[in-house]
């Protein structure tokens, strides 16, 4: 949970005698263990005019999974996992059914035990079924199978009216469409998700680090990296997760499923030669693993926990192929400015894979994934860290700086958009940037399944129906 939304509330790790107020944390929570629990909570909130929030693992930068004075539906302990042979419209094959609280590392491990792998995120503790997939869901296997939302087969949900429904391409199809990419905390509360599982196999990986020992050479290397991403975009399954400051570039991990380290080296060696020609020292490694889970564990050595800190502000933009191809000098100059200005150091991160319709094998309109994803070379996020005990004034200042840097990227990427799960909550153009041309249709689905707008989250579809009072109450606009 982003500290912005904790609002300096008390910590369970603080001394017993410390002053403690809930702040932005929900006043009460229902530990959901059944359909009846969820339906009862929804009815109670409706009947008593109480603000409702939905929380799974709580990984959230937009503040959708908490709210001052609210009743929370906590789905974290819905941990069931089962496997089945699925036979439905558009897909026949192995599948996994997961309860809403299953984190990525548990799903990956269970799939590996059966010779399978599934699409999910990089962070081991993120729940796959919640806002992750409902926002689209990027991950290491997206270059082979598409985004998480491209793999969903069905959802089990409870609506704001307390109805227990199944959403598939043929049953409550509009709800199924919306839940696959249309944003979390909006249309219905998800109990479980059934998604495609894929045959596992050998995985090639790589990592790379180089430092800025010569400013001109460093930024020329960053530019060359962008060109490399265009070149490897045509390789099925190729995915890179990388980051840079004005001092260091790190390829955290690269993956090439169903291939060996030699194929990974063939893809990356042209860039390694460029680093050598530029005189930039570097550390570089390619490797092989027998399964996807072994690859995942290699790059997440602290399993079951991740390496991700929460004391940060985040924002981002989807970077189209055309921008890298046609305006690369301006893009790199913007990177230099973003990482060199601000009250604290900003970092740029990219996750690059081809998730076009041609690669994924679906068609425009098949789900609510933001259309700009299909034209993007990568999704870029920026983060900036602050001390764990930083006052709200510091966090608000960094939030303002993040929006300013996000605006720099908008100028370079007209018509593009941003990944809603790694974006700012106070972007005035959130409807276009986070939902694009899907917004009007999504709002129609919202009104059908949640006509009273019980389900609310900042920058979520229909959220401008409400304004938030200083005491956390939702007031009609």
């Amino acid at each position: 949970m982003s500290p912005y939304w904790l609002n300096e509330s008390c910590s369970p790790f603080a001394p017993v005698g410390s002053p403690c107020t809930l702040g932005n944390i929900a006043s009460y929570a229902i530990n959901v263990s059944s359909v009846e629990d969820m339906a009862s909570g929804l009815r109670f909130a409706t009947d008593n005019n109480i603000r409702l929030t939905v929380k799974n693992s709580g990984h959230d930068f937009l503040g959708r999974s908490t709210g001052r004075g609210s009743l929370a539906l906590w789905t974290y302990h819905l941990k069931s996992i089962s496997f089945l042979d699925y036979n439905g419209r558009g897909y026949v094959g192995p599948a996994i059914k997961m309860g809403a609280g299953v984190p990525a590392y548990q799903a990956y491990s269970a799939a590996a035990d059966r010779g399978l792998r599934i699409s999910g995120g990089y962070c081991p503790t993120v729940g796959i079924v919640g806002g992750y997939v409902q926002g689209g869901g990027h991950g290491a296997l997206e270059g082979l199978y598409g985004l998480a939302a491209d793999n969903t087969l069905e959802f089990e949900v409870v609506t704001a009216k307390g109805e227990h429904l199944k959403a598939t391409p043929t049953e409550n199809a509009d709800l199924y469409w919306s839940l696959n990419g249309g944003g979390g905390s909006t249309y219905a509360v998800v109990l479980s998700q059934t998604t495609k599982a894929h045959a596992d196999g050998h995985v090639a990986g790589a990592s790379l680090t180089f430092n800025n020992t010569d400013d001109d050479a460093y930024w020329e290397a960053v530019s060359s990296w962008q060109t490399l991403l265009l070149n490897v975009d045509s390789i099925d399954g190729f995915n890179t997760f990388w980051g840079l400051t004005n001092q260091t570039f790190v390829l955290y991990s690269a993956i090439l499923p169903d291939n060996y380290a030699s194929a990974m080296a063939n893809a990356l060696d042209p860039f390694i030669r460029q680093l050598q020609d530029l005189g930039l020292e570097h550390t570089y490694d390619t490797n092989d693993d027998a399964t996807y889970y072994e690859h995942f564990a290699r790059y997440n050595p602290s399993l079951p926990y991740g390496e991700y800190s929460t004391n940060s502000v985040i924002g981002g933009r989807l970077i189209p192929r055309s921008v890298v191809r046609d305006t690369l000098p301006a893009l790199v100059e913007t990177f230099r400015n973003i990482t060199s200005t601000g009250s604290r150091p900003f970092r740029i991160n990219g996750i690059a894979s081809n998730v076009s319709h041609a690669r994924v094998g679906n068609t425009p309109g098949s789900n609510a994934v933001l259309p700009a994803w299909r034209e993007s070379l990568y999704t870029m996020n920026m983060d900036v860290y602050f001390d764990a005990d930083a006052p709200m004034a510091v966090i608000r200042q960094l939030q303002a700086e993040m929006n300013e840097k996000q605006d720099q990227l908008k100028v370079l990427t007209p018509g593009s958009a941003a990944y809603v799960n790694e974006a700012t909550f106070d972007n005035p153009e959130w409807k276009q940037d986070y939902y694009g041309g899907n917004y009007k249709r999504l709002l129609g689905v919202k009104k059908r399944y949640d006509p009273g707008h019980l389900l609310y989250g900042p920058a979520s579809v229909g959220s401008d129906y409400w304004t938030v009072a200083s005491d956390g109450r939702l007031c009609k606009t």
Side-chain angles (χ1 to χ4, degrees), residues 57 86 159 161-162 164 198 299 312 375 404 406 459:
S57 61
Y86 195 86
T159 70
K161 294 182 267 187
H164 182 206
H198 309 274
Y299 291 103
S312 65
E375 304 301 322
E404 185 274 328
Q406 218 171 222

Side-chain angles (χ1 to χ4, degrees), residues 176-200:
Y176 169 84
W177 176 84
S178 300
L179 290 169
N180 280 309
S185 300
T186 303
Y187 312 99
V189 186
V190 177
L191 280 165
S192 72
Q193 172 194 347
T194 303
T195 194
K196 296 176 184 177
H198 309 274
D200 208 350

